[in-house]
Amino acid sequence: IGTGGVGLMKTSVQTSRFRTYFAGESISSPPFSTEDGGYAYIWEKENPVRITLPGTRHPVYLLQKKFAGLGLRARYLRDHQGNHWLYYQKSGQNNLVRIPAPGGGAPRSYAFKTGEVHLGHFAADTDGQIYIGLNGVLYRFNPKTEQFTEHVYQAVQPRGSEVRSLAKTPDGRWWLGTFRGLVEAQPNTTGDYDFRLWQYEPGDTNSLRNNDISSLLPDPNDPNFLWIGTKGGGLARMDINSGAFKHLT
């Protein structure tokens, strides 16, 4: 579990106890991006860090240069190809940084979309492309062409809806959790997406209980379900085929 100011916390389901690493530091979420050969990767002290599981006696900082002053205004992930990515906002400009896998060259920075107030969320697809959900637009960045493509969904949800989570289900759909509902992005034959907004419907027990969505997780055991955490509406499981929501809390 990544925290703001209390380090990285690991819990055991057997003992229900927590162990703290990097005490006193802020660990940007997600705390673990990809486990690989007994390693896990986190963002700590303005630098991506490789740690050995289950201990962290010899953490390896992957960059000599640090990205100073970003704090929790940065998001980090490691893609399926072993590259590290940093997404941050500074001076009103959004920036995407690619830190290649060993032997892949120097870090590269790509600036896009100025003037935004909120930092969005990003995720890596299995083909290496990076997706960013940000205020009415789903961005796709192709590392091979170094180009951004905009997929605008303001027709179903006006600007001003902060994206708080982003996930892809195995059928190719992207899902954006905002504080005004859940946005579904269904790939179409034109290379774009058809968007749909899911929100709380008064009197409908199969709808969301609250539009403020904080987290999304595709079910690792069943591709038909998406888990949704809300602020004020508890935890729900969505059947992505029928659109029905089952509320667990």
Side-chain angles (χ1 to χ4, degrees), residues 122-137:
F122 79 144
D125 206 346
T126 53
D127 62 1
Q129 296 193 88
I130 303 298
Y131 286 77
I132 306 166
L134 177 65
N135 198 5
V137 182

Side-chain angles (χ1 to χ4, degrees), residues 30-33 121 123 164-171 173-178 182-183 208 213-230 234-240 245-246 248:
F32 295 149
S33 283
H121 272 266
R164 294 177 171 170
S165 52
L166 177 66
K168 183 185 179 184
T169 44
D171 61 356
R173 278 183 278 183
W174 284 93
W175 304 83
L176 300 94
T178 79
L182 175 67
V183 177
L208 285 167
I213 297 173
S214 57
S215 58
L216 297 170
L217 177 67
D219 193 306
N221 300 313
D222 193 327
N224 298 306
F225 295 116
L226 176 69
W227 292 87
I228 303 167
T230 70
L235 176 66
R237 189 186 70 179
M238 179 186 185
D239 184 324
I240 62 174
F245 294 83
K246 180 179 180 180
L248 286 87

Side-chain angles (χ1 to χ4, degrees), residues 108-131:
R108 293 286 303 274
S109 181
Y110 311 92
F112 71 102
K113 196 58 179 180
T114 60
E116 289 294 339
V117 177
H118 301 294
L119 187 70
H121 272 266
F122 79 144
D125 206 346
T126 53
D127 62 1
Q129 296 193 88
I130 303 298
Y131 286 77

Side-chain angles (χ1 to χ4, degrees), residues 140 149 151 186-194:
R140 183 178 73 232
T149 302
H151 304 282
Q186 171 74 58
N188 59 33
T189 56
T190 68
D192 204 343
Y193 291 88
D194 295 322

